[in-house]
Amino acid sequence: VDPVKLRQSIRTVLFNQTMISLPMLVIFYPIFKWRGDPCCRELPTFHWFLVELAFFTLVEEILFYYSHRLLHHPTLYKKIHKKHHEWTAPIGVISVYAHPIEHV
């Protein structure tokens, strides 16, 4: 692993986390608070948990697949998604290494 390239990647990840994720949390927190606490004191039944797990896993997989496929369109790939494919080494911090637009 090239240490210079790794440091640059960590800077990109830190930028995305502090300049994009953090402001999004600050902006959306009042909305989440207004909607109410989603964590109630009573746990769902095991069957309901399995239904929700299956449903939301399916939705997440479909949305991720098609959004990732869309990012492989030549225009989007060249300008945005190519950054995500710069690394092939399985390094934890690289799992969130992406162009700021893709990070959103």
Side-chain angles (χ1 to χ4, degrees), residues 36-102:
D37 186 10
C39 302
C40 60
R41 295 192 182 273
E42 185 177 315
L43 292 174
T45 64
F46 184 69
H47 291 73
W48 187 248
F49 164 76
L50 290 178
V51 168
E52 286 186 341
L53 179 66
F55 175 75
F56 288 114
T57 300
L58 181 66
V59 168
E60 193 275 334
E61 287 295 321
I62 291 169
L63 290 176
F64 178 82
Y65 174 79
Y66 284 107
S67 64
H68 191 234
R69 190 169 169 155
L70 176 67
L71 287 169
H72 278 265
H73 184 276
T75 305
L76 296 175
Y77 184 84
K78 194 182 321 176
K79 294 180 178 161
I80 298 170
H81 191 60
K82 187 174 183 177
K83 185 175 205 88
H84 164 76
H85 285 285
E86 288 176 4
W87 282 84
T88 56
I91 301 171
V93 73
I94 300 305
S95 66
V96 290
Y97 176 67
H99 187 280
I101 292 174
E102 185 175 358

Side-chain angles (χ1 to χ4, degrees), residues 11-59:
R11 278 195 289 270
T12 299
V13 168
L14 289 173
F15 174 83
N16 287 344
Q17 293 294 320
T18 57
M19 303 307 287
I20 296 172
S21 293
L22 190 60
M24 285 174 57
L25 285 172
V26 169
I27 291 168
F28 286 113
Y29 179 75
I31 296 168
F32 294 146
K33 189 93 168 152
W34 173 73
R35 290 216 40 203
D37 186 10
C39 302
C40 60
R41 295 192 182 273
E42 185 177 315
L43 292 174
T45 64
F46 184 69
H47 291 73
W48 187 248
F49 164 76
L50 290 178
V51 168
E52 286 186 341
L53 179 66
F55 175 75
F56 288 114
T57 300
L58 181 66
V59 168

